[in-house]
């Protein structure tokens, strides 16, 4: 792993999200086919890309029951406990509307309501992600969403991982479809003969999922365009090299495009971590993926001071940030840009991925400068409400009309002034 002196030209940005023209055209064609041919198109693409021909994409009650019965009892308990932790955390995010009383009985209000239907995309392929089920579904449940749909690709045997089905079962979600890629996003956005469309789509996926979400945005809402995972670690000479190396590799094993960066004030730690990375890579089951990530996007930077390190991290705006330093809590107060912050030796990033309760669907590619992780607000909408009494209208109508005419909108002014006489003849 390359060791460099810290510079001001740091970036986490990778080009996956934009895609190339061939990929974009393929996604647009898939979306068009699903809009035109519905279920038939979804099944055709499922056979083409996932290698399985399905008579129906919907998961049956029998499949759900079989998965639950097959699940190890301890894993079942672990998933339930994780779900409880995630629910407790997200319940703190609940938002209430408000009413602002005015004079003469007039009032203004904000009405907060859940979305009616959301589609949650859970990645599949080489791994099973029950944690993604928990992280996407629970905020929607806490928000009060009535209809929650899961879409996830199946294997060549036509089955979904037991763990994914069990996680959905724990949360009471039964509308699950075996479909992935751009065809799944199109089916959720526009609907088919058997799938009703949703209002919002959340969840990460590959380049085709990301491009499809971009294409359907506007027809439905989306959470974010999730890129490859990334981690930045701030550490000083109090950190242990083997632990830091393990944490960097925990993200590198996700994807060849994943990014793992260490910013440290200790030259000794930098050298020891580089050596540990190589040693641990040789024993990692996903060595090939992790090695590509480390070679292409892994870096160790030596900072002259903790202040310089903080400046660099705020510039990077990483998805995940670990702070393993003396006075780590105080250091964390200086961080302005990060998707999630993990403080201290025992708050390794996977703690948040699976169990602590915070959400692991987070902004990538430095978008933590302006974006937040998935939360209850993502499944709510706010409606403004106005009630003016006659007296309040009388006092303010001339002001409103003048402002309307200032903008050249005579119709607006007349709409207010049209109430200027007694139409009941009283």
């Amino acid at each position: 792993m390359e060791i460099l002196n810290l510079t001001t030209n740091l970036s986490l940005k990778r080009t996956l999200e934009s895609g190339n023209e061939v990929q974009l055209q393929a996604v647009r064609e898939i979306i068009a086919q699903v809009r035109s041919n519905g279920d038939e198109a979804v099944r055709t693409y499922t056979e083409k890309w996932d290698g399985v021909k399905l008579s129906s994409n919907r998961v049956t009650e029998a499949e759900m029951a079989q998965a639950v019965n097959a699940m190890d009892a301890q894993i079942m308990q672990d998933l339930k406990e994780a779900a409880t932790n995630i629910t407790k955390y997200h319940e703190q995010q609940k938002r209430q509307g408000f009413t602002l009383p005015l004079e003469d009985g007039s009032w203004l209000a904000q009405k907060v309501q859940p979305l009616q239907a959301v589609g949650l995309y859970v990645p599949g392929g080489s791994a099973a992600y029950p944690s993604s089920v928990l992280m996407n579904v629970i905020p929607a449940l806490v928000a009060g969403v009535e209809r929650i749909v899961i879409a996830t690709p199946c294997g060549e045997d036509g089955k979904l991982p037991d763990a994914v089905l069990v996680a959905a079962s724990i949360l009471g979600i039964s509308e699950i479809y075996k479909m992935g890629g751009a065809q799944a996003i199109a089916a959720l956005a526009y609907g088919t003969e058997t799938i009703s469309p949703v209002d919002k789509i959340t969840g990460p996926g590959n380049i085709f999922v990301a491009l499809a979400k971009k294409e359907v945005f506007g027809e439905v809402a989306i959470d974010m365009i999730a890129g490859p995972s990334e981690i930045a670690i701030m550490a000083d000479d109090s950190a242990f090299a083997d632990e830091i190396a393990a944490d960097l590799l925990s993200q590198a094993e996700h994807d060849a495009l994943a990014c793992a960066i260490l910013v440290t004030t200790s030259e000794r730690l930098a050298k020891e971590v580089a050596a540990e990375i190589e040693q641990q890579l040789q024993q990692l089951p996903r060595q090939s993926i992790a090695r590509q990530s480390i070679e292409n996007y892994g870096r160790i930077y030596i900072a002259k001071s903790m202040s310089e390190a903080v400046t660099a991290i705020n510039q990077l705006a990483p998805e995940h940030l670990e702070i393993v330093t003396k006075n780590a809590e105080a250091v964390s107060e200086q961080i302005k840009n990060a998707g999630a912050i993990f403080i201290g030796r025992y708050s390794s990033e996977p703690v948040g991925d699976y169990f602590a309760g915070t959400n692991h669907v987070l902004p990538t590619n430095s978008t933590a400068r302006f974006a937040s992780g998935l939360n209850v607000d993502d499944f709510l909408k706010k409606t403004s409400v106005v009630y003016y009494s006659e007296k309040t209208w009388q006092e303010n109508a001339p002001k409103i009309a003048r402002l309307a005419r200032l903008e050249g909108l005579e119709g607006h002014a007349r709409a207010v002034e049209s109430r200027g006489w007694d139409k009941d003849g009283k």
Side-chain angles (χ1 to χ4, degrees), residues 161-183:
D162 286 347
V164 168
L165 295 180
V166 167
S169 176
I170 288 171
L171 301 176
I173 306 303
S174 59
E175 189 175 352
I176 306 171
Y177 297 97
K178 302 173 186 177
M179 57 183 185
Q183 63 270 25

Side-chain angles (χ1 to χ4, degrees), residues 60-116:
T60 65
E61 291 183 8
E63 287 175 301
M64 293 287 285
Q66 183 178 16
V68 170
N69 291 334
M71 182 55 56
D72 175 80
Q74 182 60 62
I75 295 295
M76 175 74 81
Q77 183 57 39
D78 294 341
L79 285 170
K80 288 181 178 179
E81 191 171 344
T84 297
N85 294 343
I86 297 165
T87 301
K88 286 180 178 178
Y89 181 83
H90 286 80
E91 282 178 341
Q92 300 302 310
Q93 301 172 355
K94 283 183 177 178
R95 184 187 293 271
Q96 302 296 323
F98 62 84
T99 299
L100 177 63
L102 305 175
E103 295 181 359
D104 306 310
S106 299
W107 50 270
L108 306 177
Q110 184 182 75
K111 188 176 183 180
V112 179
Q113 302 175 93
L115 303 180
Q116 292 180 288

Side-chain angles (χ1 to χ4, degrees), residues 3 48 76 104 118 206 212 259 293 299 357 376 379 396 424:
I3 301 175
K48 179 177 181 180
M76 175 74 81
D104 306 310
V118 297
N206 62 17
C259 184
S293 166
R299 299 289 186 274
V376 172
F379 300 99
N396 293 292
D424 294 328

Side-chain angles (χ1 to χ4, degrees), residues 353-399:
D353 267 354
Y354 296 107
F355 198 76
T358 54
N359 207 290
H360 76 201
V361 181
L362 299 166
T364 60
N365 259 14
S366 295
T367 58
R369 292 177 296 108
F370 54 81
S372 305
L374 193 70
N375 61 84
V376 172
D377 273 356
D378 284 304
F379 300 99
L380 298 173
K381 58 183 180 179
K382 294 90 176 177
T383 303
S384 57
V385 184
V386 177
Y387 172 73
Y388 260 25
S389 68
E390 181 179 359
K391 185 174 181 180
T392 303
W393 166 79
Q394 287 175 340
E395 292 175 355
N396 293 292
K399 306 167 191 176

Side-chain angles (χ1 to χ4, degrees), residues 79 121-136 150 152-153 161 163-165 167-168 204 253-255 286 289 353-354 360:
L79 285 170
Y121 188 88
V122 177
S126 62
Y129 296 103
S131 61
S132 289
V133 175
L134 302 182
M135 295 294 178
N136 279 272
I150 292 175
T152 185
V164 168
L165 295 180
E253 73 172 352
H254 267 299
D255 193 305
R286 294 169 69 88
I289 293 172
D353 267 354
Y354 296 107
H360 76 201

Side-chain angles (χ1 to χ4, degrees), residues 107-307:
W107 50 270
L108 306 177
Q110 184 182 75
K111 188 176 183 180
V112 179
Q113 302 175 93
L115 303 180
Q116 292 180 288
V118 297
L120 312 178
Y121 188 88
V122 177
S126 62
Y129 296 103
S131 61
S132 289
V133 175
L134 302 182
M135 295 294 178
N136 279 272
V137 169
I138 289 173
L141 286 174
V142 172
V145 176
E146 294 178 10
R147 175 175 170 247
I148 298 174
V149 185
I150 292 175
T152 185
C154 63
E156 292 184 357
D157 58 0
K159 297 181 178 180
L160 296 179
D162 286 347
V164 168
L165 295 180
V166 167
S169 176
I170 288 171
L171 301 176
I173 306 303
S174 59
E175 189 175 352
I176 306 171
Y177 297 97
K178 302 173 186 177
M179 57 183 185
Q183 63 270 25
I185 302 303
L188 292 172
Y190 299 105
T192 68
E193 298 92 328
T194 60
I195 304 171
S196 298
V198 300
D199 302 315
K200 186 168 187 173
I201 300 172
T202 73
N206 62 17
I207 179 62
F208 294 98
V209 171
L211 290 174
K213 286 173 72 175
K214 275 188 173 182
E215 288 295 304
V216 302
F217 176 65
E219 183 70 31
V220 295
I222 62 172
D223 54 344
M224 64 186 80
I225 305 298
S229 188
E230 61 205 31
I231 186 171
I233 300 177
M234 292 176 63
D236 59 17
D237 58 7
S238 67
F240 293 88
D242 59 335
E243 296 171 2
I244 300 300
D247 289 357
L248 291 168
L249 290 174
S250 74
Q251 296 309 295
E253 73 172 352
H254 267 299
D255 193 305
L257 287 163
C259 184
I261 289 178
L262 168 63
V263 178
T264 179
T265 53
S266 170
E267 185 174 352
R268 173 195 60 79
L269 181 69
K271 292 178 180 178
E272 290 180 2
V273 168
E276 276 287 339
I277 288 284
E278 182 55 39
Q279 182 177 334
Q280 292 185 29
L281 265 174
Q282 296 175 22
Q283 301 172 14
L284 198 66
R286 294 169 69 88
Q287 177 185 164
S288 176
I289 293 172
R291 187 174 292 279
Q292 289 181 67
S293 166
I294 291 297
E295 289 178 354
N296 294 324
Y297 301 104
R299 299 289 186 274
I300 297 174
Y301 293 102
I302 300 176
K304 296 176 182 177
S305 65
M306 191 55 62
S307 175

